[in-house]
């Protein structure tokens, strides 16, 4: 019996199995969660190649497999349309199901196919990037991008189960791997001071991708995200704390035309927003200093490598908020492991305060 973390949502809950080697049991888990269904694998082509070469831990797949070219550029309605056409052509009916294999792109895209095919079929998610394991696979959001922006077309469609095997991370490129670590640092900062301290003392093992250390990292991060997301079912608004670092991160991504990977942008966003919290008198400098030191230990940047331009970043933040009333709001830390103040969980900041905070990363 493998250990699992349970993720609650409006219609029930699903398990996230986290264990080195768990993919050897993928067939059993598909049987358990998608019994008597006709199942197709939907995979990122480069991850599928690793699977065929026997390099994706002990994962095996004999059945139907549909692939799409790796990367964010595949997360579109065009790919959705091609995949759904292929399923129709192959005669997949209402009694079918999908297994989504790959990073966050595969989860969002295949999840959206599952959400819409025959008005919704179940899917099981097999995340193969650290970011997808500890963040994207929890919360039930699926969708695709459009020319107007990311994730603008989508649906809430939780998987029936998530199978996260830290052994698959062995082949992940360094930059992709570290991007996932930034989200774990965020989880510690927003909800668990002790976990943050554990990441600090485990940083060497994490950089080495030690499987047992990764098992704990993924488990604890999934627990934290599941706890926050599950609580928001009761509309407490606390889900906003998951956006820590992300107001600045999204603006940096936009201002660099997405040359800056999301995880690196999140790390920089955490440093800048912690500086903002200190500037506003909400937090002591401890949180910001420890976040920056930890990111450095993990090999993540704490200053932008290329000049981004303060004006572009501010403009990107303002446009991000154009559909909401009011100024630019941030989910800010009060200290390591504590966010707030509630009940809004976000704080509006003036432009001079934001400019001052951006200097922490430039
Ligand atoms: N649904 C959500 O709640 C949620 C949350 C966060 C992010 N996301 C989405 O996730 C996406 C980003 O996810 P990502 O960073 O995993 O990107 P990704 O899926 O594009 O994967 C990154 C790269 O790693 C490669 N790869 C994946 N697994 C590998 C492995 N084991 N070995 C070697 N290479 C491997 C992929 O081929 C790809 O080139 C974005 O589209 C984002 O919007 C969704
Ligand atoms: Zn993120």
């Amino acid at each position: 019996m493998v250990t699992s973390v349970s993720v609650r949502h409006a219609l029930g809950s699903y398990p996230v199995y986290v264990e080195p080697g768990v993919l050897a049991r993928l067939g059993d888990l598909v049987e358990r969660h998608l019994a008597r269904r006709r199942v197709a694998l939907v995979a990122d082509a480069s991850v599928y190649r690793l699977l065929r070469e026997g390099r994706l831990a002990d994962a095996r797949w004999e059945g139907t497999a549909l692939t799409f070219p790796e990367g964010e550029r595949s997360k579109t309605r065009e790919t959705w349309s091609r995949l759904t056409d292929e399923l129709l052509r192959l005669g997949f009916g209402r009694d079918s199901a999908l297994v989504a294999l790959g990073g966050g792109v595969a989860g969002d895209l295949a999840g959206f196919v599952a959400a819409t095919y025959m008005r919704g079929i179940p899917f099981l998610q097999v995340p193969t990037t650290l970011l997808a394991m500890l963040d994207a696979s929890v919360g039930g959001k699926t969708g695709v991008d459009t020319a107007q922006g990311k994730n603008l077309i989508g649906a809430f469609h939780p998987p029936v189960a998530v199978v996260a095997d830290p052994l698959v991370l062995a082949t992940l490129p360094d930059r992709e791997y570290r991007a996932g670590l930034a989200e774990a640092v965020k989880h510690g900062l927003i909800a668990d001071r002790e976990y943050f301290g554990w990441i600090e003392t485990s940083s060497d093992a994490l950089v080495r991708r030690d499987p047992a250390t990764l098992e704990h990292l993924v488990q604890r991060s999934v627990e934290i995200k599941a706890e926050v997301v599950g609580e928001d079912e009761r509309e407490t608004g606390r889900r906003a704390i998951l956006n820590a670092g992300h107001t600045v991160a999204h603006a940096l991504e936009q201002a660099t035309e997405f040359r800056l990977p999301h995880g690196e942008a999140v790390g920089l966003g955490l440093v800048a927003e912690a500086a903002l919290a200190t500037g506003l008198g909400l937090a002591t400098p401890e949180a910001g200093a420890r976040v920056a030191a930890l990111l450095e230990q993990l090999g993540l940047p704490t200053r932008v490598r290329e000049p981004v331009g303060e004006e572009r970043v501010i403009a990107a933040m303002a446009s991000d908020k154009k559909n909401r009333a009011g100024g630019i709001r941030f989910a800010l830390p009060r200290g390591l492991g504590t966010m707030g103040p509630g009940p809004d969980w976000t704080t509006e900041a003036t432009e001079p305060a934001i400019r001052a905070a951006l200097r922490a990363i430039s």
Side-chain angles (χ1 to χ4, degrees), residues 44-47 50 56 70-72 75 102-108 127-132 135-142 145 150-151 168-173 176 179 183 225 239 262:
D44 158 334
S46 110
V47 175
L50 291 171
L56 204 67
E70 68 176 278
E72 189 74 28
K75 216 177 100 175
V105 167
D108 282 10
T128 63
T129 64
L130 185 57
L131 182 121
D135 190 10
S137 61
V138 180
K141 289 182 182 172
T142 72
D145 305 331
K150 277 180 56 134
N151 305 323
V168 304
L169 301 175
T171 49
L172 196 63
E176 300 289 351
E183 299 281 4
K225 185 163 180 193
R239 193 172 180 149
H262 178 70

Side-chain angles (χ1 to χ4, degrees), residues 131 135 183 186 242 244 246 249-250 253 262-263 266:
L131 182 121
D135 190 10
E183 299 281 4
K186 180 193 79 179
L242 293 168
H246 280 62
H250 287 148
E253 288 180 271
H262 178 70
V266 170

Side-chain angles (χ1 to χ4, degrees), residues 22-333:
V22 67
L23 271 179
R25 304 186 43 195
L26 179 61
D28 295 348
L29 293 169
V30 167
E31 189 51 44
R32 182 188 309 174
H33 292 283
L34 301 171
R36 289 182 298 282
R37 287 183 176 268
R38 191 173 165 205
V39 184
L41 181 80
V42 176
D44 158 334
S46 110
V47 175
Y48 185 65
R49 200 173 319 119
L50 291 171
L51 172 75
R52 303 308 298 173
E53 290 166 357
R55 294 169 63 207
L56 204 67
D58 289 323
R60 300 273 174 282
W61 188 261
E62 303 303 339
T64 305
L66 310 181
T67 63
F68 60 86
E70 68 176 278
E72 189 74 28
R73 275 193 309 202
S74 282
K75 216 177 100 175
T76 60
R77 280 169 293 188
E78 288 69 35
T79 318
W80 170 85
S81 169
R82 184 175 62 72
L83 291 169
T84 48
D85 279 346
E86 272 179 52
L87 289 168
L88 290 168
R89 190 175 52 75
L90 293 167
F92 276 79
R94 260 180 255 288
D95 62 343
S96 52
L98 303 180
V99 171
L101 176 74
V105 167
D108 282 10
L109 177 63
F112 187 53
V113 171
T116 47
Y117 193 72
M118 303 278 162
R119 297 200 186 86
I121 56 172
F123 83 114
L124 182 140
Q125 201 166 341
V126 183
T128 63
T129 64
L130 185 57
L131 182 121
M133 280 185 199
L134 52 70
D135 190 10
S137 61
V138 180
K141 289 182 182 172
T142 72
V144 293
D145 305 331
T146 76
Q148 277 71 36
K150 277 180 56 134
N151 305 323
L152 293 180
I153 308 287
F156 180 75
H157 189 62
V160 292
V162 176
V163 183
D165 187 339
L167 295 184
V168 304
L169 301 175
T171 49
L172 196 63
D174 229 29
R175 212 166 174 189
E176 300 289 351
Y177 175 73
R178 287 194 300 248
L181 292 176
E183 299 281 4
V185 171
K186 180 193 79 179
H187 292 139
L189 174 68
I190 66 172
D192 188 345
R193 187 184 176 89
E194 201 181 305
Y195 178 48
F196 191 96
W198 176 85
I199 300 176
E200 286 175 327
T201 53
S202 311
S203 64
D204 285 349
L206 287 170
V207 170
R208 274 190 276 116
R209 308 189 193 190
D210 172 61
T213 312
L214 273 169
E215 179 179 10
H216 181 71
L217 184 90
V218 175
Q219 259 179 20
R220 186 65 197 125
S221 273
V222 167
E223 274 168 14
I224 290 171
K225 185 163 180 193
E227 188 252 323
V228 174
V229 169
E231 188 174 310
D232 220 40
E233 295 289 302
R234 300 194 297 272
E235 314 252 336
T236 63
R238 190 167 164 247
R239 193 172 180 149
I241 69 172
L242 293 168
N243 285 331
H246 280 62
T247 306
V248 169
H250 287 148
L252 289 171
E253 288 180 271
Q254 219 180 307
T256 58
E257 273 135 27
F258 294 91
R259 283 189 306 279
L260 191 66
H262 178 70
E264 290 183 20
V266 170
L268 292 162
L270 291 174
V271 175
E273 293 185 18
L276 181 61
T278 310
L280 294 175
L282 268 176
T284 58
E286 188 218 0
R290 280 178 66 182
V291 166
L294 178 53
L295 292 171
E296 267 166 31
Q297 267 171 273
L298 297 171
L300 282 153
T302 54
R303 290 183 184 278
V304 286
R305 290 199 178 106
E306 51 173 313
V308 181
E310 206 173 286
E311 297 312 319
R312 292 182 77 180
V313 179
I314 300 266
M317 273 184 219
S319 82
D320 196 28
K321 295 290 169 283
K322 68 178 175 296
N323 296 323
R324 280 183 237 164
I328 303 169
R329 300 188 74 85
F330 298 82
L332 296 177

